[in-house]
Amino acid sequence: MSETAAPKRQACPGSCHCGFTQYIVFLILPHPFSSSHPPPPHTGQEVYRCNCRTCYKMNFFHVHPAHPRDDFMLLSPLDPDRDLSTYFCCEKKRKFYFCPKCGVRCFTFSGVGETTVVDVPGEEGKREVWQAKWDGGMETRPYVSVNGTTIDAREDFDLRVLTEEKRVQYFDDRSELGEKKEERWDRPHYGGSY
């Protein structure tokens, strides 16, 4: 990844192992943030690892797009609550969706989703997709995080390079609330993984 390449928003397709779950996530590539240039709080794209027991056991490599509504399209299936298996955590507010056929966890979500008709990059005409709903009247903004290991391989998004270049944030979600350590970029917190 080159520091001189100008980052731009790109469509990144991804899927589970068997292909039943398919999506597109829009990311700024090359990933512009690092320890010397962190993302703004709750407004920028984040690539991170969490050391909580759920994320650790799943080996979930979070890729959180900047705009949950506009930057994530589920192409298949169109009703994840019906067609995908779900594991709830965070007081049953966050859903980790996984393929009922191959077991791969592609994304986690909280909020309300809906089927909409949009233009899909690389396809002619419009098609139905499932996206986070954002109507301004919701109490909290929707949350979408894609498992980076399910994004189709591409040179400008290499998890190994992101780790080596210290472009991955490491969050401490194992410690008690008042004892949590600040995020860091050089290594995981206790109980976490690279």
Side-chain angles (χ1 to χ4, degrees), residues 60-96:
F60 206 91
F61 202 117
H62 290 272
V63 178
H64 177 70
H67 306 286
R69 166 74 181 171
D70 300 327
D71 291 347
F72 180 78
M73 297 177 183
L74 184 62
L75 307 176
S76 170
L78 293 178
D79 187 347
D81 289 319
R82 184 188 70 212
D83 299 327
L84 295 177
S85 296
T86 310
Y87 178 74
F88 289 90
C89 70
C90 301
E91 299 173 358
K92 296 199 173 197
K93 293 179 183 171
R94 190 160 296 161
K95 302 173 191 176
F96 281 84

Side-chain angles (χ1 to χ4, degrees), residues 25-27 44-46 63-68 71-72 141 144-146:
V25 62
F26 293 88
L27 300 174
Q45 168 182 300
E46 293 178 311
V63 178
H64 177 70
H67 306 286
D71 291 347
F72 180 78
R141 102 187 217 140
V144 173
S145 185
V146 170

